[in-house]
Amino acid sequence: MKRWLSDKTDDNVTVVVGESGSGKSTFVRRLPHFWEATPVKVLNIRNKLTDPGLLLDQLSEVLEIGPFSDAGGLVRQEESIEPQVVVIDSAHNLFLAEVGYLGAYRALMECMNAHLTHVYWVIVLNAPSWNYLSYVFVREQRVSNLYKMPRWSPMDIRRLILSRHKGGRRQLKYNNMLLSAAASSESTSIRAANSRVFNILWEQSGGNPLAAIELWLNAVKVKGRLAEVGVPERPSANLLAGMKDDLYFVYTAIVLHSSLSTEEIMLVTHFSEPVVRHAVKQGINMGMIIRDESERYRIDPYWYGSLSGFLHRKNMLWN
């Protein structure tokens, strides 16, 4: 962005991608604090929006310009736009993987590709959605700056978990599986357990902070003022084996779009309502699917790594 602001490059787009829970929303919240050279405006696409006209209307409000119907209309008004960074958060809500429902994302892409000198675009979206859209728009999408949310280190995961735990004012106790029988003293054994549990947590979560929190919560049993920590463990993908393929397609659709309603799942999978409801109900019973405040279904962070890995192995998701 510094090179853009100093007129050293015409490249004015950065795409930020990451798995659910990887810290994308935190990045968006903090961006105005470490970039003060221009205003930072955020358009958060909270619900599915596939109508290009509605998206362009929202963009005109964010940019504080008159309505426009295409990228050309945006370019013609550029002189009235002050230099600024525009963040499109949750851009994965701008499409459904079905013919006729890609228009809003295409409209955004055309704005991104337009020759603008006063706007720097930061597009934030789910990694599986980005992978899908990259294949769909392989000839049209031109992005030089792709930033993938990094994996957190074991030390970062440890700091996060312990800072959250501190507020509970409970004493940590490690179970016997984590304590080292070969340790020379109790304090040495506890230190070894402390190191071991966070290394396991990091491995099981893949460095994803939200997944690490969920794994920690599932590994801890509260007994009065004690919090006994067991071995963090992801749910076994074996629980997914042997299901009908219809269920896998439903779960793939949810991962691909981040969240979907029943009607949206029916649209992108072409399955009947009973089939979709059965798949969703089974996922809920397993604790794998949760329903959010917008009445859409998403994958529980505790399950995300296991399900994603399973679907990749079945070639239903790809990188």
Side-chain angles (χ1 to χ4, degrees):
M1 291 194 293
K2 290 180 180 178
R3 289 175 56 81
W4 160 75
L5 189 61
S6 58
D7 290 329
K8 293 182 179 179
T9 179
D10 291 331
D11 199 347
N12 65 332
V13 178
T14 292
V15 174
V16 179
V17 302
E19 303 288 351
S20 176
S22 60
K24 300 186 299 297
S25 297
T26 301
F27 165 80
V28 172
R29 286 197 304 271
R30 293 182 178 178
L31 180 59
H33 299 290
F34 60 79
W35 176 261
E36 299 178 346
T38 66
V40 176
K41 298 179 181 177
V42 178
L43 174 57
N44 189 0
I45 312 297
R46 298 182 183 277
N47 298 312
K48 290 296 177 187
L49 193 165
T50 59
D51 185 323
L54 293 178
L55 171 66
L56 296 179
D57 287 345
Q58 292 190 24
L59 283 177
S60 68
E61 292 179 11
V62 169
L63 294 168
E64 299 179 2
I65 59 175
F68 57 94
S69 58
D70 55 29
L74 171 60
V75 172
R76 286 190 290 272
Q77 298 188 65
E78 186 180 19
E79 290 304 316
S80 59
I81 302 174
E82 64 173 331
Q84 60 191 275
V85 173
V86 176
V87 181
I88 309 297
D89 194 10
S90 300
H92 46 257
N93 282 327
L94 290 174
F95 82 101
L96 289 170
E98 176 61 25
V99 175
Y101 291 86
L102 295 161
Y105 184 79
R106 184 188 295 275
L108 173 62
M109 188 173 57
E110 290 172 351
C111 292
M112 291 159 52
N113 291 338
H115 183 65
L116 296 172
T117 58
H118 292 179
V119 177
Y120 193 99
W121 303 98
V122 178
I123 313 300
V124 183
L125 72 167
N126 194 28
S129 301
W130 170 253
N131 294 335
Y132 172 81
L133 292 167
S134 295
Y135 284 109
V136 172
F137 295 106
V138 64
R139 295 184 178 181
E140 303 166 64
Q141 194 154 252
R142 298 288 182 267
V143 174
S144 301
N145 301 320
L146 177 63
Y147 178 77
K148 296 183 179 181
M149 295 299 296
R151 297 174 67 188
W152 286 33
S153 69
M155 187 58 67
D156 290 333
I157 295 290
R158 182 179 184 276
R159 280 195 291 263
L160 172 68
I161 297 297
L162 293 183
S163 67
R164 296 290 184 93
H165 171 76
K166 188 176 180 180
R169 298 182 179 179
R170 287 186 170 87
Q171 181 182 351
L172 283 180
K173 177 185 176 183
Y174 297 104
N175 71 10
N176 292 332
M177 291 186 67
L178 290 168
L179 294 171
S180 174
S184 58
S185 66
E186 182 179 355
S187 61
T188 303
S189 180
I190 292 174
R191 284 197 299 272
N194 187 294
S195 175
R196 188 176 298 119
V197 72
F198 287 107
N199 282 328
I200 295 172
L201 197 61
W202 176 75
E203 291 174 1
Q204 292 291 315
S205 67
N208 183 304
L210 184 56
I213 290 173
E214 293 294 326
L215 287 163
W216 172 266
L217 292 174
N218 278 276
V220 171
K221 294 181 180 179
V222 176
K223 300 178 180 179
R225 302 308 302 171
L226 282 179
E228 183 175 319
V229 184
V231 178
E233 187 175 4
R234 291 196 311 192
S236 173
N238 292 335
L239 297 172
L240 299 166
M243 291 181 174
K244 292 183 178 180
D245 288 346
D246 291 354
L247 276 69
Y248 299 146
F249 282 109
V250 169
Y251 302 151
T252 300
I254 296 174
V255 172
L256 183 65
H257 294 86
S258 185
S259 66
L260 289 173
S261 67
T262 300
E263 293 74 17
E264 290 163 350
I265 297 173
M266 292 168 58
L267 177 67
V268 299
T269 61
H270 295 233
F271 290 152
S272 65
E273 185 172 353
V275 171
V276 171
R277 290 197 178 278
H278 169 70
V280 169
K281 183 178 180 180
Q282 189 154 338
I284 291 174
N285 290 340
M286 294 170 64
M288 185 173 66
I289 291 179
I290 55 177
R291 193 179 188 185
D292 63 21
E293 64 279 358
S294 64
E295 298 187 350
R296 284 182 167 81
Y297 298 104
R298 61 177 64 245
I299 305 302
D300 188 287
Y302 178 62
W303 263 95
Y304 188 89
S306 297
L307 176 62
S308 177
F310 179 84
L311 295 175
H312 272 97
R313 289 192 295 274
K314 292 187 73 69
N315 295 318
M316 302 184 81
L317 288 175
W318 55 93
N319 294 321

